[in-house]
Amino acid sequence: MQRHRRLEGFVLALSRRWPQPEADYRAWRRSGDDFQLGAIRLVQVEPQLWVANMIGQHGIRPTKDSPPIRYDALDRCLSTLGDEALNLHASVHMPRIGAGLAGGSWERIEPLILKRLTERGIAVTVYDLP
């Protein structure tokens, strides 16, 4: 239960500070325009600040067979995010994505971040939320 509050806290804090990413995500989902596993959309919230909406999980609750996380989709998201970060000359800041409500294993997620971002020269900061 503690993890749920943490992740909700991150999403709520982000939405309170910048409502555009959540609004964009909802509009994207309604439109269906390339709204699929592995897709991302960047939303500019300040002149030098972007938020990435990434679809790396299927649903929000685990099934009897698997958690919501889809590692192959997250890998595609991170690869595209790497391309975008390089184009923008940006660093990437994130919580431990995929390891909270999505039910993923950080031991599987961290190597994807290293391969798709860090090894490409992109500075990455991962925050452990209180």
Side-chain angles (χ1 to χ4, degrees), residues 29 36 38 42 48 53 66-67 76-77 92 103 109 111 119 121 130:
R29 183 175 180 178
Q36 62 187 345
L42 294 182
Q48 302 260 326
N53 284 323
S66 66
R76 289 192 307 275
C77 289
V92 174
I109 296 167
E119 291 177 8

Side-chain angles (χ1 to χ4, degrees), residues 1-14 95-96 99-101 127-130:
M1 196 59 80
Q2 191 90 351
R3 282 187 159 178
H4 293 272
R5 284 190 214 123
R6 285 185 200 156
L7 186 59
E8 288 173 1
F10 174 77
V11 172
L12 288 175
L14 187 70
R96 290 185 180 231
L101 293 174
Y127 297 93
D128 284 318
L129 303 175

Side-chain angles (χ1 to χ4, degrees), residues 10-11 14-15 17-22 24-25 28 40-46 48-54 81 88 91 93:
F10 174 77
V11 172
L14 187 70
S15 291
R17 176 70 192 253
W18 301 288
Q20 308 95 309
E22 182 180 350
D24 182 80
Y25 176 85
W28 182 25
I40 80 163
R41 286 200 3 173
L42 294 182
V43 180
Q44 189 169 14
V45 296
E46 290 185 8
Q48 302 260 326
L49 186 63
W50 299 77
V51 173
N53 284 323
M54 304 189 306
L81 179 60
L88 293 168
S91 58
H93 299 257

